[in-house]
Amino acid sequence: MTSPLTGSAQADPRGSDDPEYAENLRRATLASSVGSALEYYDFAIYGLAAALIFGNLFFPALPDGLRLVASLATFGVGFLARPVGGLFFGVLGDRLGRKWVLMITIALMGVSTTMVGLLPTGEQIGVWAPVLLVILRLAQGFGAGAEQAGSTTLMAEYAPVQRRGFFAALPFIGIFSGTLLASGVFALVTLAPDDVLEAWLWRVPFLASAILIAVAVWIRVKLRESPTFIHLEEQEQVAEHPLRDLMTHSRRNVLIGIGLRMAENGGSYIFQTLAVSFAVTAGVTKSWGSLAVAISSVIGMITVPLAGKASDKYGRLPVYRAGAVVLLALAVPGWWLLSLGTAWGTTIVITIGISFGVCIMLGSQCALMPELFGNRRRYIGVASAREFSAVIAGGLAPVLGAWMLTATGNAWWPIAAYVLVLAGITFATTFVTPETVARDLTLTADAALGDPVGGAAEASQPARQPAGVA
């Protein structure tokens, strides 16, 4: 007897006992995980640097309050390039395949981050320092715009149908590995005297990303193409114009994806950057904020796959909704507690916000987002939903939050209201989102409200998902 959620005719023709499939699944998991680790190491290290030291390094001529706003604005500007990169590489991913696009994005993202560590500061070359910083941040965002969408799509397409939520969530351990590494490194370097930190030590975390680039590229060279993309090629169904198909057939699901990401993405960057900066102004040491993010990352490495596994059993939407409820409940008491400036309060709030609110949503999202879109436009669909939401939620959150703090004299309540709005949007969106658990990813139609759970939207398509590769 099968569960009503996971029971489906879409049994994999090849299972985990097939040595070739098992090996390909391991490679896909490793390739996706390392890519996620590099992306989030890059973004976490930049976000922490922007929140704590980039204001003094690149905007020394500005007043103290505006330095933080300007510094976090350079963090936010990278999100402007993400949708462009998502569209550009998303088209290539749906036309040429997932593998080589992921090779390009990881290299572009990693090289940009490494070069940040070579930049001269504002005192050395004046206004050109922030200009060059913005250029590299745009390049980083351009590559990142399709990296996570590609990794998510690839892993969902490789994963066994009945355990897709769990397997699709495994690479996101890389997210927290990267965040943990970044916050741990930054916690160490911020223990140094300020003159040493701002003179040269801040460069070390950025230059170290070159090691991750080399590892990621080496692993992805050995990766084989996604089985569902191979299925498209065999059926001669590869889209000639994925973007046009997306605009014609998938606008609703792109908007749903954006709504789902408001609390997850916005909450992630609020608690990783803005909460750290706010805690410092309230009296917590710089290193303690980074340590709180590191603790959250360790717990998140457990929470995300467990949430993915729960979504296989109970459905994507109930699990996703639970994560949004956590942020709704945390918003007001959490930011009040942060305003007290205690180390234990900072740790509790950041840990709950990231490890449980954000991570529960992320664990369900890993499979949900690819399942929303048909096979011909899945890469660009996931990239569009992820990256346009990243501009609206993740990119604006630290900048808008820093402006609110400056305008209100570091009052905590505007940020609490902001978190409430983001979480409320996501909570409401879950009620107009189709349940997609165990959906057949060879289907070319998007998921829609009213589709049978775990069923097919197009009866003409084969009710199976190829799990192996030729």
Side-chain angles (χ1 to χ4, degrees):
M1 183 70 66
T2 56
S3 163
L5 280 177
T6 59
S8 170
Q10 305 169 76
D12 291 318
R14 301 168 66 182
S16 58
D17 58 343
D18 184 316
E20 184 183 3
Y21 170 51
E23 177 61 25
N24 290 330
L25 183 60
R26 282 193 294 269
R27 288 178 181 173
T29 304
L30 184 58
S32 299
S33 299
V34 173
S36 297
L38 176 57
E39 178 183 0
Y40 276 77
Y41 174 85
D42 290 352
F43 272 73
I45 210 72
Y46 194 102
L48 288 168
L52 299 176
I53 60 172
F54 271 5
N56 292 336
L57 291 173
F58 291 94
F59 302 96
L62 294 179
D64 287 345
L66 291 180
R67 288 181 187 180
L68 177 61
V69 175
S71 178
L72 289 176
T74 67
F75 179 76
V77 78
F79 289 87
L80 298 178
R82 291 184 68 131
V84 180
L87 292 177
F88 178 81
F89 289 115
V91 168
L92 293 181
D94 280 325
R95 291 186 63 185
L96 305 179
R98 322 309 192 201
K99 172 181 175 176
W100 294 108
V101 171
L102 287 171
M103 291 279 291
I104 297 170
T105 56
I106 199 75
L108 177 59
M109 189 172 56
V111 169
S112 301
T113 301
T114 302
M115 291 183 66
V116 170
L118 300 174
L119 284 179
T121 64
E123 289 187 353
Q124 294 171 321
I125 61 171
V127 71
W128 284 106
V131 169
L132 292 174
L133 182 65
V134 167
I135 291 173
L136 290 178
R137 180 69 177 142
L138 288 171
Q140 185 190 56
F142 189 72
E147 167 61 32
Q148 202 59 60
S151 295
T152 301
T153 298
L154 180 78
M155 200 59 231
E157 292 178 341
Y158 260 106
V161 174
Q162 308 302 343
R163 302 184 67 196
R164 184 184 293 143
F166 174 71
F167 274 95
L170 287 180
F172 281 72
I173 293 175
I175 289 178
F176 298 102
S177 300
T179 304
L180 175 62
L181 181 60
S183 55
V185 168
F186 225 83
L188 290 176
V189 299
T190 51
L191 292 175
D194 286 347
D195 56 340
V196 175
L197 176 63
E198 295 184 7
W200 62 271
L201 191 58
W202 69 271
R203 301 179 185 277
V204 174
F206 291 92
L207 297 175
S209 67
I211 300 172
L212 287 175
I213 301 170
V215 173
V217 171
W218 179 76
I219 291 173
R220 289 188 175 183
V221 166
K222 297 179 176 294
L223 180 66
R224 295 188 181 183
E225 187 52 82
S226 155
T228 59
F229 186 80
I230 291 175
H231 178 78
L232 273 182
E233 292 182 316
E234 291 173 348
Q235 300 298 315
E236 298 183 351
Q237 292 180 321
V238 176
E240 289 295 323
H241 305 286
L243 181 57
R244 185 176 67 188
D245 288 355
L246 184 76
M247 294 297 100
T248 303
H249 302 291
S250 303
R251 291 192 299 271
R252 175 183 172 84
N253 280 11
V254 170
L255 292 175
I256 285 173
I258 290 173
L260 291 173
R261 291 261 293 163
M262 288 295 99
E264 177 266 317
N265 192 246
S268 175
Y269 286 108
I270 285 174
F271 285 103
Q272 283 189 44
T273 59
L274 191 61
V276 173
S277 178
F278 180 72
V280 170
T281 63
V284 177
T285 61
K286 291 180 180 179
S287 59
W288 196 267
S290 299
L291 180 61
V293 175
I295 293 171
S296 303
S297 300
V298 172
I299 299 174
M301 293 171 72
I302 301 171
T303 310
V304 170
L306 287 182
K309 183 176 182 178
S311 76
D312 284 326
K313 183 176 182 180
Y314 302 108
R316 313 291 185 226
L317 298 182
V319 174
Y320 210 110
R321 199 170 292 139
V325 168
V326 171
L327 288 193
L328 281 170
L330 178 68
V332 173
W335 281 88
W336 171 79
L337 193 56
L338 282 172
S339 72
L340 300 182
T342 62
W344 65 268
T346 298
T347 304
I348 289 173
V349 173
I350 291 178
T351 299
I352 293 176
I354 296 175
S355 304
F356 297 98
V358 171
C359 289
I360 288 174
M361 289 184 281
L362 185 58
S364 177
Q365 183 192 114
C366 296
L368 171 59
M369 199 73 76
E371 289 171 336
L372 284 174
F373 298 96
N375 198 12
R376 287 164 55 89
R377 49 188 175 272
R378 180 168 298 123
Y379 197 136
I380 194 170
V382 175
S384 298
R386 284 186 60 85
E387 303 314 327
F388 280 99
S389 63
V391 174
I392 301 169
L396 285 180
V399 180
L400 183 58
W403 176 81
M404 288 178 179
L405 292 175
T406 301
T408 61
N410 286 326
W412 62 268
W413 59 265
I415 312 301
Y418 188 28
V419 174
L420 281 174
V421 169
L422 293 175
I425 291 172
T426 292
F427 182 76
T429 302
T430 62
F431 290 96
V432 296
T433 302
E435 180 56 75
T436 61
V437 64
R439 191 169 191 267
D440 183 353
L441 295 188
T442 64
L443 298 175
T444 57
D446 290 351
L449 286 172
D451 285 351
V453 175
E458 291 180 355
S460 61
Q461 295 297 322
R464 66 179 182 86
Q465 178 185 338
V469 293

